[in-house]
Amino acid sequence: VLAVKHKTWFRLVVKAIGITLLGFAAPELVDRIATYIAYRVQQQSWGTPLPYPEWLGSLLHVLGPLLQTAAGAYLLFGGDWLVNKAIPSNRPYCPECGYDLSKNSNDRCPECGVALANESGARS
Ligand SMILES: [Zn+2]
């Protein structure tokens, strides 16, 4: 219960990073693929494989934004795994600093001293 606030916040940050990555990388990826297709159409070389340095260059040119888009999509849609890994919900964590409170018996966080809600009554 204590971890919920911290976890929700962390999840939002992960999704925000994902959206930012997608926002920057996806248009760049589309632009580079479109540029590549336009180049191939202009050269009328569909079907004929590019010579070695060129296909490697094209691949590297697309690889950067492709990886960023993939990372962004993962953080946006699959980031919950990462969040659960970083902040397991079966253990109590301080809502302020994220300190592990599973061994804590006080009503204050030993790390930052914030007052904690416990079973006998919530306080803020
Ligand atoms: Zn704390």
Side-chain angles (χ1 to χ4, degrees), residues 7-92:
K7 199 170 181 175
T8 305
W9 179 83
F10 188 70
R11 187 180 284 124
L12 281 174
V13 170
V14 167
K15 286 199 188 299
I17 293 170
I19 291 168
T20 307
L21 265 176
L22 273 178
F24 280 108
E28 184 72 20
L29 180 65
V30 170
D31 184 59
R32 288 188 184 189
I33 291 175
T35 304
Y36 173 74
I37 290 174
Y39 169 76
R40 291 304 297 261
V41 168
Q42 191 196 6
Q43 299 286 307
Q44 294 185 320
S45 56
W46 284 114
T48 43
L50 284 170
Y52 165 68
E54 271 190 71
W55 71 252
L56 188 66
S58 301
L59 185 69
L60 289 176
H61 201 57
V62 172
L63 201 61
L66 184 68
L67 288 177
Q68 285 174 9
T69 303
Y74 171 74
L75 288 179
L76 186 57
F77 301 110
D80 284 354
W81 179 87
L82 195 75
V83 174
N84 286 327
K85 200 81 178 170
I87 307 176
S89 51
N90 58 342
R91 287 197 307 204

Side-chain angles (χ1 to χ4, degrees), residues 94 96-99 109 111-114:
C94 173
E96 289 301 319
C97 70
Y99 186 81
C109 173
E111 184 69 14
C112 69
V114 73

